[in-house]
């Protein structure tokens, strides 16, 4: 439910004193600013106005614009003496003309000079306020010793018979220096404190526990900026944590997959070569020995040309070199076997054997193989034997032709 608040300031000659910095009157201006901001923060529908005790004049009627109140407070000059009863009644009259009729009525009175009314007048005023359901908070400062007894009795009369005290007396000694600082922890602006309905409180300069160390009622713009900055920082950290977590998971997966592939590659290549080149395994694929030989040579050449990017370990390089050497040795042995005629040959084998018996063809084949040293003794011996066998075959062929002619 919204609340309408009239603030009565003490503008008597006593407000020229400097026990509250810079003066009692200017200290009240700062305190009024704090109270209005607190009321505005509680609910945007709350209204507040300002009146004086000495002249009995309403400076600002009920409004939601804080700027109007601050402007009028700067124009107040201290003069005369206060009339507590008249000032409270004028504030009550202003509350009765509030626009929102269901709004609660409250008066905040600053008393910093002696109260001349006796207890009977104060009691009569308290009974009227209680009957009209008007709550009142009194800030007692300056002339504390003279006013404390009267004001405590007044607050007791207003709260009399209520289950919960809605009126408060806040006594602030001169040692506090600042009224606004002491009010921050008082029940007047809704802060929690050890205050009773008719008791008094010694207001120190301590602040309540506020977020970021800033009272939002004193500086709502700064408090909002700090809160927004904190939320942005929290969102940024959460986004960084999510990004870091996803990157770690991807890095773990990527590092695991290549390791498994690299470990399996050399074994798979050797098994495939053994299956396709081995005699028993080659028969299962329906390949002849020549096809197996050519396949072994092709795989050996592929391993040497393209295998360097994948197999970077010493084991892979050693395996490829061994496979290539074995394939070259197999080719040489096959060529020698065909040349010697140790194995029965079909038509295709005869063609291959005839081609390999040509020293030039055999030299061309061996030189095309990577890693074959054409100047080695083994290669030179094979080429020499091939050339000799080639010459012997030609001679045998010529003798057979001559025999046929004689017949």
């Amino acid at each position: 439910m919204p609340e309408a608040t009239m603030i009565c300031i003490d503008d008597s000659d006593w407000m020229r004193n400097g026990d509250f910095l810079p003066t009692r009157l200017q200290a009240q201006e700062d305190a009024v600013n704090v109270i209005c901001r607190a009321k505005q923060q509680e609910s945007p529908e709350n209204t507040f106005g300002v009146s004086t005790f000495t002249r009995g004049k309403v400076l600002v009627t009920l409004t939601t614009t804080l700027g109007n109140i601050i402007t009028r407070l700067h124009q107040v000059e201290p003069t005369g003496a206060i009339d507590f009863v008249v000032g409270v009644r004028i504030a009550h009259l202003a509350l009765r003309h509030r626009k929102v009729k269901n709004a609660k009525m409250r008066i905040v009175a600053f008393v910093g000079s002696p109260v001349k009314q006796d207890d009977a007048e104060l009691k009569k005023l308290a009974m009227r306020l209680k009957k009209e359901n008007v709550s009142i908070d009194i800030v007692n400062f300056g002339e504390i010793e003279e006013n404390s007894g009267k004001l405590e009795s007044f607050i007791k009369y207003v709260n009399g018979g209520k289950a919960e005290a809605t009126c408060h007396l806040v006594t602030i000694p001169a040692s506090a220096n600042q009224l606004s600082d002491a009010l921050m922890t008082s029940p007047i602006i809704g802060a929690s404190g050890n205050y009773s309905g008719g008791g008094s409180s010694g207001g120190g300069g301590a602040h309540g526990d506020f977020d970021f160390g800033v009272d939002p009622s004193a500086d709502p713009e700064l408090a909002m900026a700090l809160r927004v900055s904190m939320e942005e920082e929290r969102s940024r950290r959460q986004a960084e944590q999510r990004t870091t977590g996803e990157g770690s998971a991807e890095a773990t997966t990527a590092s695991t997959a290549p390791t498994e592939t690299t470990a399996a590659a050399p074994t798979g290549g050797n098994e495939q070569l053994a299956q396709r080149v081995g005699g028993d395994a080659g028969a299962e694929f329906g390949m002849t020995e020549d096809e197996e030989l050519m396949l072994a040579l092709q795989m050996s050449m592929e391993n040497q040309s393209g295998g360097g990017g994948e197999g970077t370990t010493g084991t892979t390089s050693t395996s490829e070199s061994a496979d290539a050497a074995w394939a070259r040795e197999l080719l040489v042995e096959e060529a020698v076997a065909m040349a010697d005629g140790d194995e029965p040959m079909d038509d295709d084998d005869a063609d291959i054997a005839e081609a390999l018996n040509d020293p030039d063809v055999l030299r061309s084949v061996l030189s095309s193989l990577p890693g074959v040293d054409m100047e080695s003794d083994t290669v030179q011996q094979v080429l020499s034997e091939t050339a000799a066998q080639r010459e012997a075959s030609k001679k045998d062929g010529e003798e057979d032709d001559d025999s046929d002619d004689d017949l």
Side-chain angles (χ1 to χ4, degrees), residues 128 198 280 287 380 395 400:
R128 182 163 185 173
D280 296 337
M287 294 187 298
Q380 293 298 327
K395 292 180 179 181
D400 291 341

Side-chain angles (χ1 to χ4, degrees), residues 136-156:
I136 184 170
D137 298 323
I138 298 178
V139 180
N140 182 23
F141 69 103
E143 307 304 316
I144 296 175
E145 296 180 359
E146 186 174 351
N147 294 332
S148 294
K150 294 179 180 180
L151 297 179
E152 288 177 6
S153 300
F154 177 78
I155 292 295
K156 287 181 180 179

